[in-house]
Amino acid sequence: MRVLSIGECMAELAPAPNPGDYRLGFAGDTFNTAWYLARLGVAVEYLTAVGDDAISDRMLAAMQAGGVGTAHVARLPGSTVGLYLITLADGERSFSYWRGQSAARRLADDPARLTAAMAEADTIYLSGITLAILAPDARATLIAALDAARRHGATIAFDPNLRPRLWPDAASMTQAIMEMAARTDIALPSHEDEATWFGDADPAATAARYAEAGARLVVVKDGANPVLWRSPDADGTVPVAPVQDVVDTTAAGDSFNAGFLAGLAQGAPLPDAIARGCHLSAQVVQGRGALVETVPV
Ligand code: ADP
């Protein structure tokens, strides 16, 4: 299986042990999933746009060091990447973002580039954040390319990753998410967020809403609670072994998606593929940051 992951990778400044020092890293939801897919041995390309400055060079190098293909990363002259900074107060992490001008917002400006990248992929992965950072016309361009790729046989996997602050208002977010659900093969929502913004009473309600919108397979994550799945002719749950010492839940959902998609790619039955997602994300919540280098795969 060849995966194309589409979205925004950002520069990350995280507190270093020496007070006042920060460590530079690179992360972003769809990139995190690509990075874990590569670690699991899946061939994965990342489609985004970066600038032509030094930090963009370092981001590309980090992608390549992680085994993620960069053939579909556009370089936009005079532009740069988005940045976020993590602040720690009493063990709680808070995030400040500078991403309004990031090159990734223009990742869908060239329809021919999208078509060429998608033609090489069996599975195309994106998130609600990918949709949120695009202007409405660029989002329409991306969706048209996804529809064409799907007609040619590609599987579309979508994590709604609801981030209301990236949208003008909640109604435009929920509308865009459900429009995407209608052209999704594999939906990977997290129940807690979905309950907040769609009022789902339980994970089964989340699964039903995505299935009715058109998703063939829905896998609903719910923190330490069981993962619920629903396909056209069956449904079920897979238990999660709760982690007692959670260190940092950043990228729990992103790494789950990677473990699950890698399991499917390697031909695992559905419950086994879900269990692989659970296994990987359980390791990730016990490490610090989005990309946990020490995760055994
Ligand atoms: P998101 O990061 O999208 O909010 P969730 O919090 O639902 O996603 O978590 C995604 C997956 O991470 C879960 O399905 C589960 O497999 C794993 N996970 C999250 N929290 C825990 C926990 N406390 N113990 C064990 N696994 C967890």
Side-chain angles (χ1 to χ4, degrees), residues 173-232:
M173 173 177 77
T174 52
Q175 188 188 338
I177 294 294
M178 294 318 289
E179 278 170 18
M180 186 60 221
R183 57 250 308 157
T184 290
D185 297 292
I186 304 174
L188 296 160
S190 287
H191 173 64
E192 198 179 344
D193 290 350
E194 302 288 324
T196 303
W197 297 100
F198 288 98
D200 301 335
D202 51 30
T206 301
R209 181 167 46 78
Y210 282 97
E212 281 154 22
R216 173 170 54 79
L217 175 61
V218 190
V219 176
V220 185
K221 295 157 276 177
D222 190 15
N225 299 313
V227 177
L228 181 139
W229 59 271
R230 172 175 166 152
S231 69

Side-chain angles (χ1 to χ4, degrees), residues 113-288:
R113 200 170 78 78
L114 295 177
T115 304
M118 290 181 187
E120 293 173 4
D122 310 299
T123 296
I124 301 168
Y125 174 76
L126 73 160
S127 78
I129 296 177
T130 312
L131 301 178
I133 62 167
L134 301 178
D137 55 343
R139 200 180 308 139
T141 303
L142 177 63
I143 287 191
L146 290 168
D147 285 349
R150 197 165 179 237
R151 283 197 300 276
H152 288 107
T155 295
I156 311 293
F158 174 59
D159 184 333
N161 245 335
L162 304 173
R163 294 290 185 278
R165 272 197 273 177
L166 294 178
W167 296 89
D169 52 57
S172 41
M173 173 177 77
T174 52
Q175 188 188 338
I177 294 294
M178 294 318 289
E179 278 170 18
M180 186 60 221
R183 57 250 308 157
T184 290
D185 297 292
I186 304 174
L188 296 160
S190 287
H191 173 64
E192 198 179 344
D193 290 350
E194 302 288 324
T196 303
W197 297 100
F198 288 98
D200 301 335
D202 51 30
T206 301
R209 181 167 46 78
Y210 282 97
E212 281 154 22
R216 173 170 54 79
L217 175 61
V218 190
V219 176
V220 185
K221 295 157 276 177
D222 190 15
N225 299 313
V227 177
L228 181 139
W229 59 271
R230 172 175 166 152
S231 69
D233 42 19
D235 55 56
T237 57
V238 173
V240 169
V243 169
Q244 302 306 332
D245 302 313
V246 172
V247 173
D248 177 359
T249 59
T250 305
D254 306 334
S255 57
F256 173 94
N257 296 347
F260 170 67
L261 292 173
L264 285 190
Q266 287 150 6
L270 193 53
D272 292 3
I274 291 171
R276 290 194 202 184
C278 294
H279 178 72
L280 178 60
S281 51
Q283 316 264 345
V284 168
V285 300
Q286 294 176 72
R288 211 167 283 287

